[in-house]
Amino acid sequence: MRVATVIAALFLAGSAVAQTNQSAKSRGPIANTPDQTIRGSAMAVEGDLLTINGTAVRLMGIDAPDPGQKCKNRYGHELDCFKVATAVLANMVRGEEVTCTVTEQDRTGEKKGECRVRGVDLGAAMVARGWAFQYASLSPAYQKGEAYAQSKRLGLWAGQVEKPWQWRSRQIRQNAK
C-alpha cells in the first residue's frame, strides 16, 4: 500500500471519529455542552493519555498498553509495551502544538477527546502504527487503521500482546485470589 493511501486513510478515519464524536455528544456525561478545545504543548503520560498545559486528555476510541503490561516482539523477546507505546506518542507530540477537542468527561472527571497535530488524528496514528487498539464498542472509526497495522504486523501486531482491557481484567482476577 502506498504511503499516500495510508495517509488518506488516516485522514478519513479522523473525520469519521469527529462525526462519531459529534453524535456521541448528546449521549455523553457532559451532554448538551459545547466541546472544549485545548491547545498547546503536550506530554505523553501513556500511549493514549496526554497532558496539554497541565490538563490530562485521554484519546477517545483507542486503548494502549497499561503500566506494567509486557508483550513479546517478533523474536519472542519480552518488551515493556507500555513504555514503547508511550514513547511513540511522545515522539508524535514532541515540539508540536497539539489541539484537543474534548467531547466527554467521565464520572471521575477525566476528559476524553480527539487530539491532533498538524491536522493528523493522534488516535488514528497510534492505531495505524500498531501501538494502540481501537475500542470498537465506542467507535468504529479506527477499524481500517487497525486492520492495516494487523495486516502489516506493525507495532504490537508484530509479536504477541494481550489487548489492554483483557490484561486489566486478568490482573483484577489474579489479584482477587
Side-chain angles (χ1 to χ4, degrees):
M1 185 178 278
R2 291 185 184 183
V3 173
T5 306
V6 173
I7 292 170
L10 290 175
F11 284 110
L12 290 174
S15 65
V17 168
Q19 292 170 351
T20 302
N21 289 346
Q22 290 299 319
S23 64
K25 218 174 19 175
S26 61
R27 294 191 314 264
I30 53 174
N32 302 319
T33 58
D35 293 341
Q36 177 185 7
T37 301
I38 302 170
R39 282 189 182 85
S41 61
M43 189 172 85
V45 178
E46 297 180 10
D48 56 3
L49 179 65
L50 296 169
T51 58
I52 299 96
N53 303 325
T55 302
V57 179
R58 180 136 340 246
L59 300 177
M60 276 189 74
I62 72 167
D63 199 4
D66 287 342
Q69 187 173 352
K70 306 288 186 214
C71 55
K72 291 184 179 179
N73 67 13
R74 69 183 79 227
Y75 306 108
H77 297 113
E78 191 173 83
L79 300 172
D80 185 334
C81 47
F82 167 78
K83 284 185 179 177
V84 176
T86 303
V88 170
L89 183 58
N91 284 331
M92 284 193 245
V93 300
R94 186 172 289 120
E96 299 285 349
E97 181 179 71
V98 177
T99 302
C100 294
T101 304
V102 177
T103 57
E104 285 189 22
Q105 188 169 333
D106 68 16
R107 60 180 169 26
T108 66
E110 182 176 70
K111 296 176 187 293
K112 297 178 182 182
E114 179 184 292
C115 297
R116 295 178 174 269
V117 168
R118 296 183 187 198
V120 176
D121 178 350
L122 293 172
M126 286 296 289
V127 171
R129 291 176 182 185
W131 292 107
F133 298 95
Q134 68 157 336
Y135 242 138
S137 62
L138 296 178
S139 169
Y142 300 130
Q143 187 173 3
K144 287 181 182 177
E146 186 170 281
Y148 174 79
Q150 189 174 11
S151 71
K152 299 294 184 184
R153 301 189 57 77
L154 300 175
L156 299 165
W157 296 105
Q160 296 175 330
V161 66
E162 192 173 16
K163 292 190 176 176
W165 56 90
Q166 294 168 337
W167 184 83
R168 284 189 295 272
S169 293
R170 189 172 54 75
Q171 295 301 306
I172 290 168
R173 286 192 308 273
Q174 285 178 348
N175 292 336
K177 292 181 181 178

